[in-house]
């Protein structure tokens, strides 16, 4: 009898613990950061940016998937951009928006 109760309660406790962990992770994400940048390289399927500002100051290159997602086709070296990211570091996966100046 006790074993059946435990068997019913354990999955519920695990689900609650996982939900609490997921909530903590989602709420811990830093707010988006926006900084100026410059296109340093552009060729079909790849765009490289130099991003200035807090937590930045380095180059990040984007592959075809990120170039399409961020609508960066047609950019040229020297183009001014405004970059928004949602991480402590500027990496391709953390970029949420790149707008041409």
């Amino acid at each position: 009898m006790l074993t059946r109760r435990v068997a019913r309660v354990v999955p519920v406790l695990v689900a609650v613990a996982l939900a609490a962990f997921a909530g903590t992770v989602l709420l811990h994400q830093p707010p988006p950061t926006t900084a100026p940048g410059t296109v340093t390289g552009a060729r079909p399927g790849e765009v490289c940016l130099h991003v200035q500002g807090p937590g930045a100051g380095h180059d990040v290159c984007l592959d075809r998937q990120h170039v399409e997602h961020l609508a960066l086709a047609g950019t040229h070296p020297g183009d001014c951009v405004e970059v928004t990211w949602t991480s402590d570091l500027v990496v391709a996966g953390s970029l949420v928006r790149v707008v041409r100046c």
Side-chain angles (χ1 to χ4, degrees), residues 65-98:
Q65 179 183 2
H66 289 101
V67 169
E68 290 174 6
H69 173 72
L70 296 167
L72 291 175
T75 56
H76 300 91
D79 286 354
C80 172
V81 291
E82 184 177 84
V83 182
T84 302
W85 68 95
T86 59
S87 177
D88 293 333
L89 298 173
V90 180
V91 294
S94 70
L95 300 184
V96 293
R97 186 177 63 195
V98 179

Side-chain angles (χ1 to χ4, degrees), residues 18-85:
L18 289 175
F21 177 74
T24 301
V25 169
L26 291 174
L27 293 175
H28 180 63
Q29 290 182 348
T33 304
T34 300
T38 305
V39 176
T40 57
R43 59 184 185 190
E46 182 179 272
V47 172
C48 294
L49 308 171
H50 179 77
V51 182
Q52 304 165 2
H58 64 278
D59 291 322
V60 59
C61 289
L62 309 172
D63 62 13
R64 183 175 307 278
Q65 179 183 2
H66 289 101
V67 169
E68 290 174 6
H69 173 72
L70 296 167
L72 291 175
T75 56
H76 300 91
D79 286 354
C80 172
V81 291
E82 184 177 84
V83 182
T84 302
W85 68 95

